Structures are given as C-alpha cells and as structure tokens.
RNA sequence: GGGCGGGUAGCUCAGUGGCAGAGCGCUGGCCUUACAAGCCGGAUGUCGCAGGUUCAAUCCCUGUCCCGCCUACCA
C-alpha cells in the first residue's frame, strides 16, 4: 500500500481546484479497499447490493450514465459509512448495447461494412473496440468516484456471462418457455435483424397518404380497397369485408384477380379486421406483412406470401417488381395501377411509422423463424412481487406503468441476426432440420451437417440475468448467497429502461433464484437539454459529462457529437439547446466531478425530465469553493487542537449558546440527510447539507467563532474558548462526513487535514455517517428559536444600515426595546454578537419602555410572538427623510398586508368556530403581534417626519 | 385510441389544506485579513384556465386548454 498520493497536495490558500484534488483519491480508495465488499461467511454486517445497469441506447447515454453512477455511488458510500457490507456491482455489459453503439460508430468512422468484412475479421475488431469502449465508460465511472475496479471484470465477464446465458437459455428451453417458432416479427432491413417490440420506436404524425385502388372482381365489377403501403398488395391473399355490410353482400364468396401476379384472391368476411365505417369498408389482406392481416390469415387459413428479401428489396414473389427497393416498389406499384386504370385516388393521411431504434430505418413486419420466450408465466410472478410489496417501486406512480406492461405482455423474440452477442446454444442439422439445444455442442452434433445457430441473443436477455449472473450464477457462490436479494438491495436506474431491463430482471430473478433481485427500485428522471428536449445526436444537444468535469470549449464538444457537421451550424444548435451555457462564453470551465455529482443529486426523483442547466452546476461549484475556504478558516481557528479533547468529549455536549445552536443545526442536517437518503430523496439530503454548511455554519457560526478563537474579548467565559474550539472541530469533521457520499473528493481531501478522533479509519469513506444518535449533536428547539429572534434583529439592523447607505466601516449606536423582560434579557446575552454583526458603536443598549428617542434615530420593528422588538439605529446626519419614510412605508406595507390577510381570515364566518383551536389561537397571536408592530412603526414614522 | 406526468419568479426547479420558496439571473452597497467563485441589502409571482368541496385551496375533486412521455394493429 502506498502512502504517496499521485499529485502534490494542493495548498489550502489557493482557490479550490478540482483538477488538483480529484485525481488524488482513486488509487487511494482502491488501495484501502473502499470499493470492496466481503462475501466471507464470517462477515455479519448487513449486506447491501446495488447492480449497475448496462449503458442504455438513447442519445443521453453519457449523461444518463453519469447520473446513475452518481446516485448509485452516493447510496453505496452512504451504506458503507453506516457499516453495511455494500456491494455496488459494476461492469461493462459484455455484449451490451454500448458495445453495439461503439461498434457502429467505429465502423462508420473506418468506412467498414460488416457484410464485406467477413465475420471473423469483424468479431476481432469488435473485441478491440469493446475494450476501448469499456475503457471509456470506466473512466467515466472513475471520474464520478465510482468503483475503478472494472478491469477485474472486463475480460472475465464475457466468459462468466456467457456461461450464465447458456445455462439460462437451456433451462428455459427445458421448461418449454423458450421455443422456436415461425411467425410475423419486426424486421429491420437496414440492420438485417429481428427486433423485439420494445426496440421499435413508433414515430407519430408521419406524413403519409392513403391510397385507394380497385381489384377487378371475377365475373364483373370491382371492389375498392385502401392502403398506406401500396407495395404490400403484391402479397395480398384476400380482400375482407364485414359480414353485415350490405354494400358487399353480393360479393361474398366471389374472387378477385390480382393485376400483377397470376393469383386469384378470395373475398372473405371478417368482423374483427373490418370496420365498415372506415374507408371503403373493404380491406386488402397481406398476412405476411401486417400484424392484423397475419392474425386474419390464421383465422381463415390464408396463404402467407412473403414479398420481401431480408434487405428490404422485393423478392421473386413480387413478379415484375422483383429486385426493386421498398420505396421504389411503392412508386412503381402505384404507377402500374394507374396505368391499368385501377387507381382510385389518394388523400393525405397521418400515420405512425415503426422505426428501428438503432438505425432509424422503417421496420417491416416479416414472417420469420425465431426464438421466443414465453412471457406470461414469468410476468405473473413479477407482477405479484410488486403487488405484494416484496419489491417497492419509487416513486410509486411507476407501479401502474409496470402493471400495465407486464399485464399485457407478448412473447419476447430473443434471437437477433447480429454478429455480436451471445450465440444461441442450439445446433441445426442441415439435412433433417432437427434442432438440438444444449450447454455444449453434443457429440451427436459433431458432424459437418450440424452447425450452431448463427443467431445471437438480444442483449437485454443477458442483461436480465445481471443481478445473479454477476455474482457467479449458476455456481452457488458465497457472494450470490450473501448479496442476491438481500433485504437492503436496491436498484437505481432511469425510467426509460423499466421495461427493457428492470421488469425482465424481476422476471428472470424470480424464475431462476426464486426471490426478487431487489427490494426497492428507484426510477430517476431522464436527462434532457435545457429546453426539455431529449439528448440526441441529430439535435446536437448531447453533453458528455467528462466535458463538464474537465472543461471543454463548445466547439470541441460539438465536434465530438456532430463529427463532420459545419461547426457554426453545430454550435448554434448547441447554444439553442443550452441558453444558459451560451451565456457562459465559449466553453465550460472544469466544474469537477463533485460539482457535477452534487448537481445531479439535487434533482428529485419525481422530476421525470431533468433539464440540465450548466448554470446550476456552476452554482454548486461555488459551493465547493465555499467548503474549501471555510475549512481553511476553521483549520486556522482550530490551531493545534487535537483529539482526544476533554471538552469535546464531555458528557452532555456544549454549554455555550452558539455552540449548542450549531450542534443543534448540525443535528437537524444529519436527521434530514438520513431521512432523505433512506427514502431515496438524495436531493433532500444534498440540500440539507448545503443549507446547513453555507447558511448556518459559514454565515453565522464561523463569524461568531472568529473573535472568540482569535483573540477572545475580555467578557468571554473562560470555558468558551476550549468549548468553541471543540465544537468547531466536531462540526467541521462531522459535516465533511455528512457530505462525503455526495461529494467524495473534496470531503476526503479536507477530512485528511482536519483533526479527528483516533477511532476514525484511514479514509472518510469508512465513516461513520453522522447521525442523531451522537449526543453531541442534539436538537435544541429553544436555542434555535432564540437564535432566530437574534438573527431577525440583526437582519433588521443591517437592513437599516444598507437602506441608508451607511459606510461599512462606520459604526452606529444601536438600542433595542422590548416590553417583555425575558426577550430583553435574552437579547442582552447577545450584545457582543450584535455588536459584531451590526457594527454598533459600543455595545447596544437595551430598554423596556418606549421612551423618548433622540432625533435622527431610525426604528425598525421585528414582530415576534413574544412581543415585538424595536430596533433603534442612531443615524443622525446620515439619513435622508424621504428615503427613511419610503423604507418605513415598505415595512408598513408588509405588515398591513399580513394584518389584512389575518383579519379577513378571523372575521370570515366559520373560521373561529370550525378551524382547529391552535390555528385560531395562532392567528390571533400573530395578528396581535403585527398590530403591536404596526403601532410602533407608526410612531417611528412620526419621528421620521421630524428628520 | 388508451395510460401516465407536468404547467409555481425572467430561467432551471422545489414545496405545502392555514402569510408562496431555492439556485441562477436582475438590482443597490461593499475588494470588511476564509472566500469577489465572496459579503450585506432589495425587487420580482392572478401558483395554466373555469367550476366545486372546505371556515380556509397553489395543494383535494370535476371539467378544460397547452406541453411531454409511454403504449396501441385501425386498412
């Protein structure tokens, strides 16, 4: 284990620079086993398992990946700090979609065509690219502080996964859930492969036309049908009418003649297919190229005539049109119909076009022999598990979507005619057509007449096995026993792969392991651009998270996402998608991984579309700088403080007011963070930490501690110095731990330099995570309430100063008045602090009566339930009458508005007798306080008139 | 066609049956020995529209208009 870190430790008095902090910790964490989970039987810590999803296929691949890595790593770190045996299972999907994406891009870049390259050469190249893609994705994980230990799995994963995939396939086949069948499937002529229903995107509102033409009826007459795909008429094997449609009764049982191929076609009646109100009421039936027609064909025993080759050209069944491309054929068929006088016109029609998710090409329904997985029995259990609450989906509105999908699921076409992926473990006999499914090539299939099925499996098939395949299944490994389906197992992913991945993992997990793979499923939003559009290459609005982390110019970025496009055009697309980024100049500065992580963490899961606003990252980047500088100050103030410290460890926590207050605020932040993380509300945890650190610790406590620790004023209690030091040390070290899961790098860097108890381990990542259980962090509502009043008084006095442009260096006489002696004495205890924050001339004075005021005194009134406090600021000679009257008016307006609202409420019929007693009482109290404040303010106005 | 979600400050978004919030932006004043990536102030809203329930609605209900997503075989 090395003690040296890769870069020299950055000096604290330099501004925070993520580039000099973040790279220092990857290897350190790895060496200390931060990412390791134990599968030893002797380890009795609660097990926590969180599988990392394979990268998805959408344009937001990169950002989505960063988002998931962030949330998953945050949760995992939190669990580890709490002493859980947390396993975050990373991995590069062996044959996954990321690979496909990379392979496709790479092939395009190198101008290769897989059809001419040859399979062996192709596969070799894929391996090469795969390693590269894995590396790229792993870098991304590293940057986000996720496990860098991906190399372990990179090369073994394929073999391990393959064994699991084969085992699963064979077992499913034995159970007769996996079967081979010839039926209509989705075929992408551009990719030359079959697709599952989920891989087809339906493009709505495409402009098309509905074309009508006539079939001549044998024996005279004609019947007019309509279609949006005229070329499919080459495969028509029937014309259907509704049995009860009087217009066609005479034609029942007759036949029509196909105009282009020698085929006589029956007119059939079918009440399911035909809606007599639509179009002409007669439908052409093409069983081989339309899902409805296929079903109709089955009902009527119609012939299925395939007219397409696999590449989308018309085959020999198309007669004179054979060899033409789909589009060409469409035009040619229309023209030919017109020439024969059979065309009956066309009209525009908006239709939904099925498109291939990968290539964007129009998908054709095609008759084909494929492997299918029977879904219903599998889906039933997955459905039940969520219904019974064995697995909880968060946010729960997704439950309905999940139910709907699984409730109406079709069998899954799992075979693909691609060259990468897990090859199907089946052997075909060339001569007999016999098919044998086995784990390994059976001896009897050794001959040359036997070949392995050339198809591979849908990548989502192997992904579905992920939760247990990555733990060693089918072997019964200790890791599998410990982590699979452990009570604390969560899944975090974006909702777009709920069907692709989550539902299928549920089904496979239940089927092969007998229990659910995870107990909670967190579905987070999809990252979109600033205007709300999905990230896609076409739109030129893709952002690579690494560019946010390391910084990049916009022209570099668009060159990556839109290679080859004119730069000016690409840039304008980009800036349109990110208006706030466009305002940032010519590029992103290096925000650092922590800032990106923190920003991604602050979006709540209920937010379905996460509009990435670079400005928000910038704001959070400022927060990191704040943490950096505050820690520097704290370290200076702490001086030679070190643990163990008798005052810090004294029972009962701090005694001084401000120390108790910050401890209480810290406790509140811990409680909020705990609650947030536990409920998958990482945003709440992040915001609680943010508000506490900046709003409480920096804005108030550090300011208060500064004078005490630098040169204690004479009136400070002798205990105050050591206690403030101890409290500061405690809160500083604690808040770093509090924020670590969300911002691992900066917190580690600072934590290493901060005094800490001997019980702490080598890295902050080992926790413990701060909780309310620590007695030094105890809520104290009374202290907090008093502090709030104190803060309000300070704000009022500062506002007066600011309103009158009092020079920051000038001090002013301050007098505080309250009718309540308790309030007065509480405030008196804060005299020194008030002097500090308001910059008063001497200590402020306190008085109970509203006696005479010196001329030139400005009065601001702080309403309070315990009687309002008058804040009198002496500004003789510094104030302009008009400005002061305007200020009072503004203050008055605010009060009057509130009084009016309360008055309306209190006088409205029913409120007093029907509303809960507390609410009514509170309203009264508030109103009285406001009225009192108003009276005082009126007096102040009279006074101001004399200015 | 069906389902789901969203419309809150100029922008990105929180939020609650009881006086509407944050960050950024805008604005006035400050280079106050942690921090100008900062500090202290300030302004800003018919909480999409119309009804209903309620003492009280931005929140619950109904309708409606936009926007988005998912899903479906209407030729």
């Amino acid at each position: 284990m090395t003690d040296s870190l890769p870069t020299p430790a950055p000096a604290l008095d330099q501004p925070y620079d993520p580039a000099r902090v973040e790279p220092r910790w990857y290897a350190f964490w790895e060496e200390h086993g931060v990412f390791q989970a134990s599968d030893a039987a002797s380890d009795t810590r609660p097990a926590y398992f969180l599988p990392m999803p394979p990268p998805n296929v959408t344009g937001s691949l990169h950002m989505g990946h960063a988002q998931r890595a962030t949330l998953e790593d945050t949760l995992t770190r939190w669990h580890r700090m709490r002493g859980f045996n947390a396993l975050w299972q990373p991995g590069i999907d062996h044959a996954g979609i990321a690979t496909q994406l990379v392979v496709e891009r790479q092939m395009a870049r190198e101008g290769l065509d897989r059809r001419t390259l040859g399979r062996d050469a192709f596969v070799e190249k894929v391996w090469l690219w795969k390693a590269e893609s894995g590396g790229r994705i792993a870098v991304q994980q590293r940057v986000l502080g996720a496990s860098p230990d991906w190399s372990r799995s990179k090369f073994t994963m394929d073999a391990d996964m393959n064994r699991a995939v084969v085992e699963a396939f064979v077992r499913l086949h034995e159970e007769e859930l996996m079967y081979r069948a010839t039926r209509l499937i989705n075929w992408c002529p551009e990719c030359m492969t079959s697709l599952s229903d989920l891989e087809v995107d339906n493009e709505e509102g495409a402009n098309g036309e509905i074309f009508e033409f006539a079939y001549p009826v044998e024996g005279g007459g004609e019947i007019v049908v309509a279609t949006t795909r005229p070329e499919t008429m080459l495969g028509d094997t029937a014309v259907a009418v509704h049995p009860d449609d009087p217009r066609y009764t005479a034609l029942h049982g007759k036949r029509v003649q196909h105009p282009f191929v020698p085929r006589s076609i029956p007119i059939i009646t079918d009440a399911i297919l035909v809606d007599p109100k639509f179009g002409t009421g007669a439908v052409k039936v093409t069983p081989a190229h339309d899902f409805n027609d296929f079903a109709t064909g089955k009902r009527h025993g119609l012939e299925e005539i395939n007219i397409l080759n696999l590449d989308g050209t018309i085959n020999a069944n198309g007669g004179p049109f054979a060899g033409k491309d789909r589009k060409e054929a469409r035009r040619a068929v229309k023209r030919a119909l017109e020439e024969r006088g059979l065309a009956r016109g066309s009209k525009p029609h908006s239709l939904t076009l099925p498109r291939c998710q990968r290539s964007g090409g129009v998908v054709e329904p095609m008759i084909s022999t494929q492997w299918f997985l029977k879904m219903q029995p599998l889906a039933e259990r997955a459905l039940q598990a969520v219904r019974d609450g064995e697995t909880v989906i968060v946010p729960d509105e997704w439950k309905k979507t999940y139910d709907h999908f699984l409730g109406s699921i079709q069998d899954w076409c799992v075979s693909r005619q691609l060259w990468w992926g897990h090859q199907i473990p089946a052997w075909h006999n060339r001569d007999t057509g016999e098919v044998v499914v086995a784990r390994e090539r059976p001896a009897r299939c050794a001959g040359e007449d036997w070949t392995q099925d050339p198809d591979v499996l849908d990548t989502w098939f192997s992904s579905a096995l992920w939760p247990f395949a990555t733990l060693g299944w089918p072997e019964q490994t200790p890791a599998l026993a410990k982590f699979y389906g452990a009570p604390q197992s969560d899944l975090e992913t974006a909702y777009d792969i709920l069907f692709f991945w989550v539902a299928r993992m549920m089904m496979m997990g239940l089927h092969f392991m007998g229990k659910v793979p995870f107990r909670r499923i967190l579905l987070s939003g999809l990252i979109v651009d600033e205007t709300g559009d999905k990230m896609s290459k076409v739109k030129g609005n893709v952002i690579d998270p690494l560019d946010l982390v390391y910084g990049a110019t916009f022209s570099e970025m668009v060159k990556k996402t839109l290679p080859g496009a004119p730069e000016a055009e690409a840039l304008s697309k980009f800036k349109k998608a990110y208006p706030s980024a466009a305002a940032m100049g010519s590029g992103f500065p290096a925000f650092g991984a922590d800032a990106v992580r923190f920003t991604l963490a602050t979006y709540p899961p209920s937010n379905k579309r996460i509009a990435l606003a670079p400005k928000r990252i910038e704001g959070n980047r400022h927060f990191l700088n704040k943490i950096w500088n505050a820690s520097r100050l704290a370290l200076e103030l702490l001086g030679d403080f070190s643990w163990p410290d008798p005052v810090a460890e004294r029972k009962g926590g701090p005694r001084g007011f401000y120390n108790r207050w910050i401890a209480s605020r810290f406790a509140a932040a811990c409680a909020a963070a705990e609650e947030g993380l536990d409920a998958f509300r990482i945003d709440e945890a992040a915001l609680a930490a943010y508000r506490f650190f900046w709003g409480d610790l920096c804005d108030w406590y550090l300011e208060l501690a500064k004078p005490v620790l630098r040169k204690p004023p004479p009136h400070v209690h002798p205990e105050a110095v050591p206690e403030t030091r101890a409290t500061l040390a405690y809160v500083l070290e604690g808040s770093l731990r509090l924020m670590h899961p969300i911002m691992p790098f900066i917190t580690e860097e600072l934590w290493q330099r901060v005094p800490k108890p001997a019980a702490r381990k080598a890295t902050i990542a080992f926790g413990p995570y701060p909780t309310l259980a620590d007695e030094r962090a105890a809520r104290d509502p009374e202290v907090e309430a008093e502090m709030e009043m104190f803060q309000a008084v300070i704000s009022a006095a500062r506002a007066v100063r600011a309103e009158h442009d009092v020079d920051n260096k000038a001090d002013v006489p301050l007098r505080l008045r309250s009718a309540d002696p308790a309030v007065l004495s509480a405030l008196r205890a804060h005299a020194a602090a008030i002097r500090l924050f308001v910059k008063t001339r001497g200590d402020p004075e306190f008085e109970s009566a509203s006696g005479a005021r010196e001329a030139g005194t400005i009065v601001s009134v702080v309403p309070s339930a315990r009687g309002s406090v008058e804040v009198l600021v002496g500004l003789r000679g510094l104030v302009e009458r008009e400005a002061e009257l305007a200020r009072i008016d503004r203050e008055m307006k605010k009060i009057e508005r509130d009084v009016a609202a309360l008055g309306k409420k209190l006088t409205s019929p029913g409120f007093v007798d029907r509303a809960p007693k507390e609410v009514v009482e509170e309203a009264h109290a508030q109103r009285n306080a406001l009225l009192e404040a108003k009276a005082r303010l009126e007096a102040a106005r009279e006074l101001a008139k004399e200015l």
Side-chain angles (χ1 to χ4, degrees):
Chain A
M1 202 175 280
T2 57
D3 288 332
S4 62
L5 290 165
T7 54
L12 267 181
D13 57 3
Q14 297 293 312
Y16 172 63
D17 180 3
R20 302 182 59 175
V21 168
E22 295 179 353
R24 284 159 49 75
W25 301 106
Y26 307 128
F28 182 82
W29 287 332
E30 199 169 5
E31 281 165 21
H32 285 87
V34 166
F35 303 109
Q36 281 164 21
S38 156
D39 60 15
S42 58
D43 193 323
T44 54
R45 289 175 297 168
Y48 171 75
F49 178 51
L50 202 141
M52 192 197 80
N56 74 33
V57 74
T58 64
S60 58
L61 173 86
H62 304 95
M63 271 323 294
H65 213 65
Q67 177 197 23
R68 289 165 204 184
T70 294
L71 298 183
E72 287 153 14
D73 185 61
T74 296
L75 287 170
T76 311
R77 280 177 189 268
W78 176 54
H79 282 300
R80 287 197 187 107
M81 289 178 80
R82 298 162 77 209
F84 277 49
N85 186 9
L87 173 63
W88 182 45
Q89 183 63 270
I92 305 311
D93 196 12
H94 47 283
I97 286 178
T99 307
Q100 298 183 13
L101 217 63
V102 169
V103 167
E104 280 161 15
R105 278 184 198 151
Q106 195 64 34
M107 285 186 65
R109 217 169 286 147
E110 297 185 15
L112 294 173
D113 181 347
R114 117 179 109 93
R115 293 172 214 182
T116 55
L117 190 61
R119 182 159 185 149
D120 288 346
F122 174 76
V123 168
E124 198 177 313
K125 280 211 168 287
V126 168
W127 274 96
L128 205 75
W129 294 331
K130 211 150 68 163
E132 283 173 15
S133 95
R136 189 177 54 77
I137 291 162
V139 164
Q140 202 164 297
Q141 290 171 22
R142 282 182 83 111
V143 162
L144 291 161
S147 170
D149 189 19
W150 74 284
S151 53
R152 174 178 54 86
S153 52
K154 184 174 71 173
F155 294 110
T156 59
M157 192 60 78
D158 280 285
D160 292 349
M161 267 317 280
N162 202 49
R163 197 168 46 139
V165 167
V166 166
E167 181 68 26
F169 186 96
V170 172
R171 284 200 205 171
L172 289 167
H173 183 259
E174 284 165 1
E175 291 155 351
E176 294 180 356
L177 290 167
M178 185 69 76
Y179 61 93
R180 202 166 138 82
T182 300
R183 59 171 70 161
L184 205 57
I185 48 106
N186 297 299
W187 181 266
C188 174
E190 289 184 28
C191 300
M192 302 263 281
T193 183
S194 53
L195 300 172
S196 74
D197 296 344
L198 285 177
E199 289 165 295
V200 178
D201 284 337
N202 290 304
E203 179 193 330
E204 282 186 47
N207 290 325
E209 61 166 15
I210 188 157
F211 180 81
E212 296 191 352
F213 67 93
Y215 270 117
V217 178
E218 289 173 4
E222 63 174 33
I223 184 162
V224 178
V225 295
T227 179
T228 54
R229 296 189 297 158
E231 74 280 9
T232 60
M233 63 83 69
L234 297 170
D236 282 0
T237 52
V239 172
V241 297
H242 196 276
D244 304 330
D245 191 337
R247 287 174 292 178
Y248 298 112
T249 330
L251 296 177
H252 289 184
K254 299 218 171 175
R255 301 182 77 85
V256 300
Q257 180 60 48
H258 198 287
F260 305 128
V261 290
R263 183 155 75 232
S264 167
I265 296 173
I267 294 174
I268 59 170
T269 59
D270 193 287
I272 298 171
L273 179 70
V274 183
D275 173 2
K277 288 190 283 293
F278 188 92
T280 59
V283 185
K284 60 188 273 306
V285 183
T286 325
H289 295 287
D290 183 284
F291 287 94
N292 280 320
D293 295 1
F294 182 76
T296 308
K298 288 288 179 216
R299 286 195 293 276
H300 296 270
L302 298 175
E303 196 185 349
E304 293 152 6
I305 298 176
N306 181 10
I307 60 160
L308 287 176
N309 292 313
L310 296 182
D311 63 359
T313 54
I314 304 293
N315 66 17
N317 289 331
F321 303 93
K324 287 191 194 304
D325 177 73
R326 287 176 287 170
K327 281 185 191 141
E328 235 176 286
R330 176 169 302 177
R331 282 192 295 270
V333 165
K334 279 165 67 177
R335 207 176 315 119
L337 284 167
E338 276 157 20
E339 280 162 11
R340 301 214 177 183
L342 294 171
R344 292 293 177 268
S346 69
K347 50 192 166 204
H349 183 69
S350 166
L351 55 130
T352 50
L353 267 187
R355 287 189 180 277
C356 170
Q357 208 173 59
R358 255 190 299 275
S359 70
V362 175
V363 170
E364 297 290 338
M366 189 98 86
I367 299 253
S368 174
T369 304
Q370 304 285 346
W371 291 94
F372 292 88
L373 183 57
K374 195 176 280 184
M375 296 307 274
Q376 221 212 331
L378 296 169
E380 196 42 54
R381 292 184 67 184
L383 216 45
Q384 202 56 41
V386 170
R387 234 173 248 156
D388 296 347
E390 269 182 88
T391 296
V392 178
I393 298 180
V394 184
D396 69 351
E397 61 246 33
W398 287 109
K399 210 172 136 182
K400 285 178 211 155
T401 313
Y402 176 88
D403 282 356
H404 184 255
F405 172 68
L406 286 180
S408 57
I409 196 166
Q410 301 292 311
D411 285 359
W412 177 12
C413 174
V414 292
S415 44
R416 295 288 178 277
Q417 291 66 50
L418 300 167
W419 282 2
W420 55 89
H422 299 283
Q423 205 170 348
I424 289 173
W427 283 263
H428 300 260
N429 188 295
R430 187 176 58 208
D431 305 322
T432 64
E434 191 188 349
V435 180
V436 177
V437 170
R439 287 168 181 81
E440 285 165 5
R441 185 178 194 136
R444 56 179 277 248
C445 300
E448 268 192 14
D449 49 341
W450 288 89
T451 49
Q452 185 170 0
D453 197 317
D455 288 359
V456 298
L457 287 159
D458 183 356
T459 62
W460 293 106
F461 181 81
S462 48
S463 299
L465 311 176
W466 193 259
F468 46 94
T470 53
L471 295 172
W473 187 88
E475 218 112 316
Q476 295 301 315
T477 64
L480 186 63
K482 183 156 249 163
F483 293 108
Y484 180 87
Q488 283 83 14
S489 294
D490 294 337
L491 172 75
E492 187 287 319
T493 188
Y495 67 81
D496 59 335
I497 50 174
L498 177 62
F499 303 149
F500 276 112
W501 196 51
V502 180
R504 285 166 177 170
M505 280 194 294
M506 288 290 287
M507 290 190 275
M508 293 304 197
L510 281 161
H511 184 71
F512 287 110
M513 297 297 297
K515 61 177 173 177
V516 292
F518 10 77
R519 305 304 175 146
R520 297 191 301 177
I521 297 169
L522 169 65
L523 295 171
S524 51
L526 219 55
I527 300 199
V528 296
D529 74 17
E530 211 174 333
T531 62
D533 281 345
K534 241 184 197 173
M535 287 194 192
S536 78
K537 280 192 290 180
V538 185
K539 287 184 194 136
N541 60 354
V542 176
I543 286 188
D544 183 335
L546 292 182
D547 290 337
L548 294 170
V549 171
Y550 297 130
T553 66
F554 297 145
S555 47
E556 277 167 10
M557 292 174 62
V558 297
K559 229 172 274 170
K560 252 191 317 191
T561 47
L562 288 173
E567 190 176 317
E569 189 185 311
L571 262 177
S572 92
K573 273 185 177 178
F574 181 85
K575 290 189 172 173
K576 212 170 139 193
Y578 299 96
S580 87
M584 287 166 79
S586 61
F588 291 132
F591 293 123
D594 278 337
V596 173
R597 282 178 67 121
F598 188 85
T599 306
L600 292 173
T602 53
Y603 290 97
S606 57
N607 189 348
K608 302 229 174 332
R609 304 174 70 71
I610 296 174
L612 190 74
K615 271 282 173 192
R616 223 164 132 155
I617 306 176
E618 192 181 50
N620 291 326
R621 167 75 181 72
H622 295 173
F623 177 46
L624 294 174
N625 197 48
K626 190 75 178 175
I627 297 173
W628 186 257
N629 286 312
S631 300
R632 163 152 64 116
L633 171 64
L635 282 173
E636 178 214 312
L637 295 176
L638 286 174
D640 59 359
F641 176 90
S642 71
W643 298 83
D645 179 79
V647 182
E649 281 154 302
R650 190 175 55 199
K651 289 267 175 230
R655 292 170 193 164
F657 181 85
Y658 304 115
N659 292 333
R660 275 161 71 198
W661 174 74
I662 196 66
S664 178
R665 297 302 300 157
F666 178 60
C670 290
E674 173 99 32
E675 208 175 302
L677 287 164
D678 194 48
F680 275 151
R681 289 299 305 266
I682 296 165
D683 57 312
E684 285 185 351
L687 286 175
Y690 182 97
R691 294 201 178 112
F692 163 74
F693 197 91
W694 201 321
D696 293 332
L697 186 60
C698 291
D699 288 351
W700 295 94
Y701 186 72
L702 285 178
E703 294 302 329
L704 287 161
K706 247 192 282 192
V708 174
L709 296 181
R710 277 202 178 129
K711 50 169 198 246
H715 59 269
V716 162
H717 192 278
E719 243 190 36
V721 174
E723 188 183 274
T724 301
R725 207 183 295 275
T727 306
L728 177 58
Y730 168 74
V731 171
L732 176 65
E733 195 260 347
S735 38
L736 290 173
R737 281 185 285 125
L738 179 71
M739 297 185 288
H740 178 254
I742 306 168
M743 292 173 283
F745 300 98
I746 191 174
T747 48
E748 178 78 276
E749 181 70 50
L750 292 169
W751 186 82
Q752 294 290 347
R753 304 165 185 229
V754 148
K756 46 191 165 291
R760 299 283 184 268
K761 310 246 174 53
T763 154
I764 189 174
F766 289 142
Y769 200 71
T771 65
L772 275 181
D774 188 324
E775 63 161 289
R776 277 185 300 279
R779 292 303 302 267
D780 192 332
E782 272 179 41
V783 166
E784 290 196 32
E786 186 177 324
M787 185 72 180
E788 271 169 37
M789 187 179 69
F790 161 72
Q791 287 170 323
V793 166
I794 302 274
S795 285
R798 278 170 165 177
V800 168
R801 286 188 64 123
E803 291 283 329
H804 292 294
D805 293 340
V806 176
D807 188 303
N808 273 31
K809 292 198 179 76
D811 44 18
V812 293
L814 184 74
R815 189 171 294 215
L816 299 174
R817 288 179 171 172
S818 170
D820 186 338
V823 170
L824 220 48
S825 87
L827 282 173
R828 191 170 280 126
H830 296 296
I834 292 171
R835 184 172 175 176
L836 173 75
F837 280 109
V838 182
K839 216 165 167 26
T840 62
R841 181 172 304 159
D843 272 344
E845 289 174 39
F846 300 90
E847 44 183 64
S848 55
S850 14
R853 269 166 293 218
E854 292 172 35
T857 298
I858 301 303
V859 182
S860 177
V861 179
V862 179
S864 143
R866 293 159 69 184
S868 55
V869 178
E870 273 180 272
V871 178
L872 282 62
V873 185
L875 292 179
R876 187 203 295 270
L878 292 170
V879 178
E880 293 193 11
R881 186 164 169 268
E882 296 310 314
E884 174 55 11
L885 285 173
R887 188 193 64 81
I888 290 180
D889 276 346
R890 223 180 8 250
E891 213 171 294
M892 186 68 92
K893 234 169 81 184
K894 213 176 275 174
I895 290 181
E896 276 173 348
R897 201 182 54 206
D898 292 349
V899 169
L902 282 165
K904 195 178 152 202
K905 186 191 275 188
L906 283 164
T907 54
S908 76
F911 176 74
V912 177
D913 17 290
R914 295 222 210 161
K917 205 169 57 190
E918 317 83 73
V919 175
V920 178
E921 272 167 17
E922 206 196 314
H924 271 297
Q926 273 181 13
R927 184 152 180 275
N928 290 340
L930 286 170
L931 285 177
E932 195 216 334
K934 191 181 163 192
R936 285 165 183 266
L937 206 55
E938 264 155 8
R941 175 150 53 193
E942 290 312 307
L943 196 72
K945 283 179 183 162
E946 296 157 16
L947 282 172

